[in-house]
Amino acid sequence: MMPMPNRLLTSLAVRLNGQIYLFDAGEGTQLGWKRAQLGLRGFKLIAVSHLHADHCLGIPGLLMLRAQMDDPELFTIIGPPGIGSFLQETQRALGFYLNYPLQFIEWSDAGGSLAYEDDQVRLFWQPLKHTQFCLGYRLEERERPGKFNPGRAVQLGIPKGPFWGKLQTGQGIVLENGEEIRPDQVLGPARSGRHLAYVVDTRPVKAIYTLCRNVDIAFMEGMFLPEDVEHASAKGHLTVVEAARMAKRAGVKQAVLVHISPRYNGDDLLRMDEQAKEVFEQTAVGRDMEIYSVPYADD
Ligand SMILES: [Zn+2]
Ligand SMILES: [Zn+2]
């Protein structure tokens, strides 16, 4: 697939408390990055689905863009076997300098389903079914502390102010009389974080359900109209109807179809949208630069 004058290649930026987790970067991704004014400071990680040009050729440019910052931190690149050598060889051949270290995390059959974790998220991966080894991802935000109970805090004699704030973020406090208060004394049960899936370039396969199970939002490939299912099958892709059907079965709350074939434009996109919605109402064809805010299920 190639970038078109009116449509960028598929790339997803997930922004969470100032951090940006990027999924895939084909040619021209830095144009979308700049247009979206994402900034570079929080950009510390990219997860790559597979080594097809439309998913990884934009990474060298993004790495160079990031080198314009003063003192950038370590950058993590997650992906299929070979992503490390692809980028290292490109860097050597082009001779560009990076003022920060790179860390590569490559899939291995023995490695399990957890690809990466930090203090905000856990990232899981599963092999999909494409013409090239391809990975799908599931991003899980960590659990949040339970709801603060102000009535209980008053009962315990905790004065309003900084103590309340500390307890709300899950830290213990010591009152002036020396009494210790644990957060669980004033907080409800821990609340689930938000979950997201990124699944592109695949035929229907079980792993899609594992990745998409009950997620708040799933970005899934919907490359073809159902009438072109033979192309989809031959090239290792999904139709919009196949994607919508799997999203529904997996209990996805909202599905966004991406990686749309350049053969479709205008009315085709409307037809894609309609046909997907007939199968699963909470599906829509994604457009360039669209922003989705994902609310907490219990808010
Ligand atoms: Zn591909
Ligand atoms: Zn592709």
Side-chain angles (χ1 to χ4, degrees):
M1 205 154 103
M2 281 173 275
M4 304 294 285
N6 59 345
R7 201 181 306 151
L8 295 166
L9 290 173
T10 302
S11 179
L12 169 70
V14 179
R15 190 152 51 171
L16 184 61
N17 300 322
Q19 303 281 336
I20 299 170
Y21 304 89
L22 189 72
F23 292 87
D24 279 344
E27 201 181 330
T29 294
Q30 60 172 308
L31 297 177
W33 187 279
K34 286 169 183 164
R35 220 188 288 168
Q37 299 185 309
L38 286 166
L40 292 165
R41 192 52 66 186
F43 180 33
K44 293 185 186 131
L45 178 149
I46 179 167
V48 182
S49 61
H50 64 305
L51 290 170
H52 272 159
D54 58 323
H55 297 260
C56 61
L57 221 48
I59 302 173
L62 281 173
L63 295 180
M64 286 184 254
L65 184 68
R66 197 174 180 272
Q68 292 177 0
M69 276 194 298
D70 294 328
D71 300 322
E73 291 173 40
L74 171 87
F75 189 74
T76 301
I77 297 163
I78 296 170
I83 186 72
S85 64
F86 161 63
L87 290 166
Q88 283 162 337
E89 280 165 29
T90 304
Q91 188 185 1
R92 202 175 310 129
L94 302 183
F96 62 85
Y97 171 72
L98 297 180
N99 53 350
Y100 55 89
L102 296 176
Q103 169 185 225
F104 295 101
I105 302 174
E106 295 191 350
W107 167 269
S108 96
D109 290 329
S113 63
L114 181 67
Y116 165 90
E117 62 182 324
D118 61 25
D119 56 355
Q120 291 210 98
V121 298
R122 263 189 279 248
L123 182 63
F124 299 91
W125 51 5
Q126 291 282 331
L128 301 171
K129 190 179 171 189
H130 189 43
T131 53
Q132 162 96 289
F133 180 78
C134 183
L135 293 158
Y137 291 95
R138 176 186 178 97
L139 188 73
E140 294 193 355
E141 184 184 13
R142 288 186 182 272
E143 282 191 332
R144 299 168 299 146
K147 273 215 169 97
F148 183 71
N149 183 338
R152 185 84 189 106
V154 171
Q155 265 177 17
L156 289 167
I158 308 166
K160 215 171 179 172
F163 278 156
W164 284 32
K166 273 197 161 179
L167 288 162
Q168 277 167 3
T169 60
Q171 303 171 65
I173 57 156
V174 182
L175 295 176
E176 266 175 30
N177 64 11
E179 193 187 343
E180 287 180 32
I181 306 284
R182 298 184 318 274
D184 64 325
Q185 291 176 270
V186 290
L187 298 180
R191 291 172 291 174
S192 170
R194 292 161 293 185
H195 299 167
L196 168 152
Y198 177 79
V199 173
V200 296
D201 289 45
T202 182
R203 287 299 296 150
V205 62
K206 239 185 183 169
I208 297 176
Y209 296 104
T210 311
L211 293 166
C212 293
R213 179 87 53 221
N214 299 331
V215 293
D216 297 277
I217 189 164
F219 293 84
M220 302 172 77
E221 125 165 54
M223 186 156 175
F224 291 102
L225 275 163
E227 66 215 41
D228 294 321
V229 66
E230 277 170 35
H231 286 288
S233 178
K235 294 174 180 170
H237 290 287
L238 293 174
T239 70
V240 287
V241 165
E242 287 169 331
R245 194 178 294 142
M246 284 187 291
K248 186 181 182 182
R249 267 193 220 148
V252 167
K253 295 197 187 87
Q254 183 185 10
V256 182
L257 303 181
V258 296
H259 202 278
I260 309 299
S261 167
R263 70 171 66 195
Y264 305 123
N265 272 304
D267 286 352
D268 303 327
L269 298 190
L270 299 177
R271 278 204 296 142
M272 291 184 121
D273 209 80
E274 279 165 20
Q275 299 202 15
K277 278 191 168 71
E278 271 175 33
V279 177
F280 179 41
E281 179 60 35
Q282 300 307 316
T283 311
V285 172
R287 309 292 160 117
D288 284 5
M289 313 310 295
E290 255 175 349
I291 297 171
Y292 297 86
S293 299
V294 183
Y296 287 104
D298 52 6
D299 278 356

